[in-house]
Amino acid sequence: MTDFSFSGLSPDTILDALETQGIFLQSGLLALNSYENRVYQFIAEDGKRYVVKFYRPGRWSDEQIQEEHNFAKELADNEIPIVAPMAVNTKTLHHHSVGTTDYRFALFPSVGGRQFENDNLDQLEWMGRFIGRIHLTAQASAFSSRPAIDVESYLLEPQRVLEQSELLPEGLKTAFFAILNPVIEATQKAYKNVSSPIRLHGDCHPGNILWRDGPTFVDLDDCRMGPAIQDLWMMLSGDRQQQLLQLDTLVEAYEEFQPFNKAELALIEPLRAMRMVHYMAWLSRRWSDPAFPRAFPWFAEDKYWEGQILALKEQMSALQEPALKLGM
């Protein structure tokens, strides 16, 4: 059985892993905000600040992680501000085994910045340009190992996980699946006509963008093949009119570098629904990791699931509304 845990990743193990690559610490390890992986900042003997990322065991294959690294390097080579893994001893992906667990890790430069403000139209304009440049590079080739954003991995498999989850209160199961299943069915019908999938950042939300005299993109851990709109819709916030203004700003700047397929606007609400369902299942799958109950204690409470029932009802309504249109 695949071990998805970090139970053997002690501070000594981390230091040992770094030392196998000739990296010795001047400072202690500072744990950064990450749940799927384990990420630490430190100062090395050369006086520079770095970040080491340990990938969750069993989640991705070596080939899939290497494709992530290669994509990041390709973007960086095209002068797109992204934090790409560093080559250490000619490689970006490294291994360190503890017992039967093989920990894969990568080293990154440490960068600073404040969080991107997705209600700031000037910053949205910058984002539209850079995402356009990312997609211009991304369409040059396709991933061969990494998966796509599809209904199986974002809807049907999560549905099965939630059906078996012991975290969903017994008294709320009937009401929860009475709305979850129709949302999944409606989303399946709406998520179609993805005619030209491209390589994507995949998780391009404000938390993965640092701002300092412009954006710096981080964390390609969820890069996949999919529709271009996936890297744009998470920039939207507020009511429908605010989102229309934000979308106009993003797309106008995007099209300075790359044509935008306006038919993909119909995918925004299906993609939002897919993210909602996938997120609930992700928390349920990872609950045995001690970091998750500590960080998300509300996930096991009735109040959370009652809120999800309401959110899914609202999402069903959104799926039935006309898609956003540009220039309105």
Side-chain angles (χ1 to χ4, degrees):
M1 183 176 179
T2 301
D3 180 7
F4 284 90
S5 77
F6 288 100
S7 58
L9 191 65
S10 66
D12 285 343
T13 298
I14 296 167
L15 295 178
D16 289 345
L18 289 168
E19 289 176 7
T20 64
Q21 300 303 315
I23 301 166
F24 299 88
L25 274 64
Q26 183 185 95
S27 72
L29 294 163
L30 174 64
L32 301 182
N33 187 27
S34 179
Y35 302 106
E36 187 62 9
N37 304 297
R38 295 294 184 266
V39 183
Y40 303 91
Q41 184 184 81
F42 64 92
I43 299 174
E45 279 189 330
D46 61 7
K48 295 180 181 178
R49 197 179 303 273
Y50 298 97
V51 168
V52 62
K53 171 181 176 180
F54 285 84
Y55 288 85
R56 181 172 289 275
R59 181 172 181 241
W60 297 120
S61 68
D62 283 7
E63 292 77 15
Q64 289 169 330
I65 295 173
Q66 194 61 59
E67 277 199 322
E68 172 204 333
H69 291 185
N70 294 345
F71 185 36
K73 183 179 185 303
E74 189 178 348
L75 295 174
D77 288 346
N78 281 278
E79 300 183 340
I80 293 165
I82 189 161
V83 180
M86 301 168 58
V88 180
N89 299 319
T90 73
K91 296 180 179 180
T92 57
L93 178 59
H94 311 285
H95 293 252
H96 185 69
S97 294
V98 178
T100 59
T101 304
D102 178 31
Y103 289 110
R104 281 86 53 83
F105 65 99
L107 193 72
F108 299 80
S110 178
V111 299
R114 63 185 188 277
Q115 186 168 307
F116 157 68
E117 301 169 12
N118 61 336
D119 58 351
N120 183 317
L121 294 182
D122 289 335
Q123 292 189 11
L124 277 175
E125 190 174 347
W126 278 68
M127 289 300 302
R129 291 195 191 99
F130 276 109
I131 295 174
R133 289 178 59 190
I134 288 173
H135 289 180
L136 181 63
T137 298
Q139 69 175 3
S141 63
F143 289 136
S144 59
S145 297
R146 295 190 72 87
I149 295 174
D150 57 29
V151 297
E152 173 60 32
S153 54
Y154 277 77
L155 288 175
L156 302 182
E157 194 271 338
Q159 183 183 37
R160 293 191 289 270
V161 169
L162 291 169
E163 286 172 346
Q164 298 169 11
S165 177
E166 296 179 357
L167 295 165
L168 179 55
E170 192 66 35
L172 294 175
K173 282 186 176 180
T174 299
F176 178 77
F177 288 107
I179 185 59
L180 176 71
N181 293 340
V183 165
I184 289 175
E185 183 179 351
T187 303
Q188 278 187 274
K189 291 179 181 178
Y191 190 69
K192 56 186 178 181
N193 300 326
V194 184
S195 56
S196 301
I198 61 172
R199 291 180 294 172
L200 301 167
H201 181 290
D203 196 25
C204 198
H205 60 76
N208 280 336
I209 300 156
L210 298 175
W211 199 272
R212 187 177 62 184
D213 301 323
T216 298
F217 296 84
V218 300
D219 194 6
L220 283 173
D221 196 62
D222 287 299
C223 62
R224 293 174 180 246
M225 298 294 294
I229 191 64
Q230 170 66 15
D231 281 348
L232 294 169
W233 77 263
M234 278 184 274
M235 303 287 143
L236 307 180
S237 63
D239 61 26
R240 189 176 178 89
Q241 288 304 312
Q242 289 172 309
Q243 291 187 37
L244 286 169
L245 178 59
Q246 294 161 0
L247 191 58
D248 274 334
T249 302
L250 279 168
V251 171
E252 184 177 353
Y254 181 98
E255 289 193 315
E256 293 179 23
F257 295 93
Q258 174 76 353
F260 176 73
N261 178 7
K262 295 177 178 58
E264 289 190 359
L265 295 176
L267 300 178
I268 292 176
E269 294 307 328
L271 285 165
R272 195 190 310 274
M274 291 163 77
R275 186 173 178 83
M276 291 171 64
V277 176
H278 185 268
Y279 181 75
M280 287 185 284
W282 173 67
L283 288 175
S284 185
R285 279 194 298 262
R286 295 290 184 257
W287 201 246
S288 60
D289 181 333
F292 279 71
R294 288 197 301 266
F296 310 101
W298 37 260
F299 185 68
E301 297 175 358
D302 287 11
K303 186 177 180 180
Y304 169 78
W305 295 98
E306 290 166 355
Q308 291 310 296
I309 292 169
L310 177 59
L312 286 167
K313 290 179 178 178
E314 293 172 347
Q315 188 58 31
M316 175 62 88
S317 297
L319 286 164
Q320 295 168 342
E321 289 183 2
L324 294 175
K325 292 184 179 180
L326 297 173
M328 293 181 67

